[in-house]
Amino acid sequence: MALNLDAVGEKLGPLTKSYTWKDAVLYALGVGAGSDDLHYCYEKGLKVIPSFSIATIFDILAQIGLKANVNLAGVLHGEQELIFHNPIPIEGEMTTEGRITHIYDKGEGKGALVIGESDTYHANGKKLFTSVCTVFGRLDGGFGGDNAPKRELDFPVREPDAVVEAHPADNQPLLYRLSGDLFHLHVDPEFAKMAGFEKPIMHGLCTHGYACRALCDTLIPGAPEKARRMACRFSKPLYPGVPIKTLIWKEEEGRALWRVVNAQTGDTVIDHGVFEYGELPAHRIRFDGRVAIVTGAGAGLGRAYALELARRGARVVVNDLGGARDGSGAGSSTPADQVVAEIRALGGEAVASYDSVATPEGGERIVQTALDAFGKLDILINNAGILRDKSFARMEPENWHAVLDVHLNGAYHVSRPAFTAMRENRYGRILMTTSAAGLYGNFGQTNYSAAKMGLVGLMNAMKLEGEKYNIKVNTIAPLAASRLTEDILPPDLFAKMKPEYAVPMALFLCSEQCPVTGNIYNAGMGFYNRAAILTGPGVVPVKAGRIPTIESVRDAMDALASLEAGKAYGQLAEQLVDTMECLKGGG
Ligand code: NAI
């Protein structure tokens, strides 16, 4: 039977599972914990090994294979990523839901990959973890589908910073399977032979549990609740009773790379390991599981946004046309490709898009790139920009339109399909990029100022349409050293205005925790303030109901200038209500 390609988008779960401290201890014993690890094995002061999470969702993992109809004789766990949002309590009830997000074809004889993503919540309301599981169907390749995007990790060439040795017992799988993974391959000799092995093999996730213990003990001793993310690829089977080593390279604060090797042969059995640890997520803003598009991300501010989004766990579409500063030229794939390479070198995930935001088709394709590569879209930063400065009298239509097409129309072209995709998921964060030139005016930039202020109008209406879908739309007015400002800013200032200073403001507005919609913030050099359209208290120059004279307006001009207690209205109707109120008085 062939793979069920229609399974993409199919729901996984809901799966509800109650567990007690004994389940956590059984798991710990299954992954080799013993009397040296009493904190995992004794109910007094018990801590839960973070990878126990996977033991509670085996049924979800099984559903991925079953729903996609993966040939059981060739099924293996390909990759596993766990993102830990909150520590796992020692008992309770967990509910898990997710969906199949991708099916990839590695080619005839090379197998297929089925990816399922799920979120698990505790009955106490807290989100505990997200799982991204890749099931490898060894016998299912060659159906003519796309291959998965390549993800490489550069392991340091130096010796590992830590090596943790362990010796799983001959009967380790028999103990481990009691935590829920009852698949015959790990217990039944005949089934194992049929699947091409000389005897039952270790569960990849059992070895993964050994690695998780080794990583916690080495990097966050006594505080497994500080594990934030654990990702890996299962690369070779391992027979029970064979000693293993977990090799750990500390990369930067809060992040390590790791692999597990067979200590007898030196073969790598788990590869591409990433382990992140540190502060509780409640204190750190992360974008794990989020998919973001940044337009114009090949340089300047866009590049800085894309890198930080990826560092904090988002999967990013790096869009850049690669044209000249004024938008001329055929474009180039180099800027986008370079930023994608930078993100991958950090261990992040990104794909490039070279389409122009200046056409509706380009906008559609940019959004489709996110949907094709990552299955959804959560964040859009409309950032692409060009300049064609000229005094107004010399501003020919060509230069007017070129600038409006990239900034204002460009944001429309990308935001529209993005909004549709976000609406389906009932979640979205859209950021417009305005400029002080638009908000306050700048000589010689009529085209740019008009476009930039147009974006504020676009935000004002979109924020209302997005409200019921949890789509928040805000605007940033950045100030940063870049190709656009190199001939405008004095050189000493230029050096102090790294784009990185604007990034925190922009990315907070793109985060789940962002509490506002429809707001504008200036951001540059680490200084942020809100900008708004304020409406003054107003004047009714003649008796209410009478038509004022032009002279009455002249006489009221000083009073009209007042912005005292000015209001920033949330929408047209609020202003209308105030207008009607005013008419009651006056005179
Ligand atoms: P930048 O020139 O370094 O980056 C803009 C990027 O947009 C470039 O890589 C360019 O290739 C790309 N791009 C241009 N047209 C495109 C199109 N049609 N489709 C896709 N990509 C395209 O400039 P910077 O300073 O990083 O600008 C980013 C945004 O911030 C722009 O919208 C700009 O107007 C705005 N801004 C920047 C300020 C600053 O101080 N740097 C001040 C106020 C606003």
Side-chain angles (χ1 to χ4, degrees), residues 192-329:
K193 282 215 170 75
M194 189 184 80
F197 298 104
E198 60 185 71
K199 58 181 180 174
I201 58 173
M202 289 276 284
H203 300 73
L205 280 175
C206 177
T207 316
H208 172 269
Y210 272 84
C212 189
R213 276 181 41 232
L215 289 158
C216 290
D217 290 352
T218 308
L219 301 165
I220 40 175
E225 66 279 4
K226 286 195 177 163
R228 298 275 68 87
R229 175 170 171 257
M230 182 174 177
C232 67
R233 181 179 296 171
F234 299 97
S235 51
K236 266 212 162 139
L238 180 76
Y239 288 113
V242 174
I244 53 172
K245 287 181 188 171
T246 302
L247 315 182
I248 302 169
W249 289 264
K250 288 185 204 164
E251 244 206 336
E252 59 186 63
E253 190 50 41
R255 185 180 154 97
L257 300 181
W258 60 277
R259 52 167 73 107
V260 178
V261 297
N262 176 327
Q264 281 172 355
T265 61
D267 287 345
T268 300
V269 292
I270 303 185
D271 205 355
H272 282 74
V274 179
F275 187 73
E276 290 171 4
Y277 51 99
E279 286 248 29
L280 284 177
H283 303 282
R284 288 197 82 211
I285 291 174
R286 300 271 318 168
F287 296 94
D288 303 294
R290 297 284 175 212
V291 176
I293 294 175
V294 184
T295 68
L301 286 153
R303 170 181 166 274
Y305 299 150
L307 284 171
E308 192 58 24
L309 279 166
R311 261 189 216 109
R312 289 176 180 252
R315 288 171 285 173
V316 185
V317 174
V318 176
N319 161 262
D320 206 294
L321 173 71
R325 183 178 186 258
D326 65 358
S328 61

Side-chain angles (χ1 to χ4, degrees), residues 295-303 305 319-325 327 335 353-359 366 382-387 405-407 433-437 448 452 455 476-485 489 497 499:
T295 68
L301 286 153
R303 170 181 166 274
Y305 299 150
N319 161 262
D320 206 294
L321 173 71
R325 183 178 186 258
S353 140
Y354 318 114
D355 286 300
S356 170
V357 300
T359 66
I366 293 167
N382 286 304
N383 167 80
I386 60 167
L387 280 183
D405 276 347
V406 173
H407 292 277
T433 306
T434 187
S435 159
Y448 183 68
K452 288 304 199 189
L455 286 161
I476 190 160
L479 186 61
S482 77
R483 179 172 77 162
L484 292 188
T485 46
L489 295 167
M497 289 197 1

Side-chain angles (χ1 to χ4, degrees), residues 42 115 121 150 167 178-179 187 218 228 244 256 267 271 324 337 353 364 471 475 482 494 504 533 565:
Y42 181 24
I115 302 180
Y121 288 81
K150 279 244 168 314
H167 198 152
L178 301 182
S179 284
V187 61
T218 308
R228 298 275 68 87
I244 53 172
D267 287 345
D271 205 355
D337 284 343
S353 140
E364 294 274 355
I471 300 175
T475 296
S482 77
F494 198 76
I533 295 179

Side-chain angles (χ1 to χ4, degrees), residues 151-219:
R151 270 189 282 153
E152 293 310 329
L153 271 185
D154 282 333
F155 272 79
V157 270
R158 65 174 198 273
E159 288 294 304
D161 300 309
V163 177
V164 181
E165 298 184 6
H167 198 152
D170 278 335
N171 62 359
Q172 204 68 44
L174 304 186
L175 184 58
Y176 178 78
R177 68 194 295 273
L178 301 182
S179 284
D181 185 352
L182 301 177
F183 190 36
H184 326 303
L185 180 61
H186 309 288
V187 61
D188 184 334
E190 276 178 26
F191 188 94
K193 282 215 170 75
M194 189 184 80
F197 298 104
E198 60 185 71
K199 58 181 180 174
I201 58 173
M202 289 276 284
H203 300 73
L205 280 175
C206 177
T207 316
H208 172 269
Y210 272 84
C212 189
R213 276 181 41 232
L215 289 158
C216 290
D217 290 352
T218 308
L219 301 165

Side-chain angles (χ1 to χ4, degrees), residues 74-87:
V75 71
L76 286 174
H77 199 157
E79 294 184 18
Q80 182 63 49
E81 177 176 7
L82 287 167
I83 299 149
F84 306 107
H85 306 289
N86 279 295

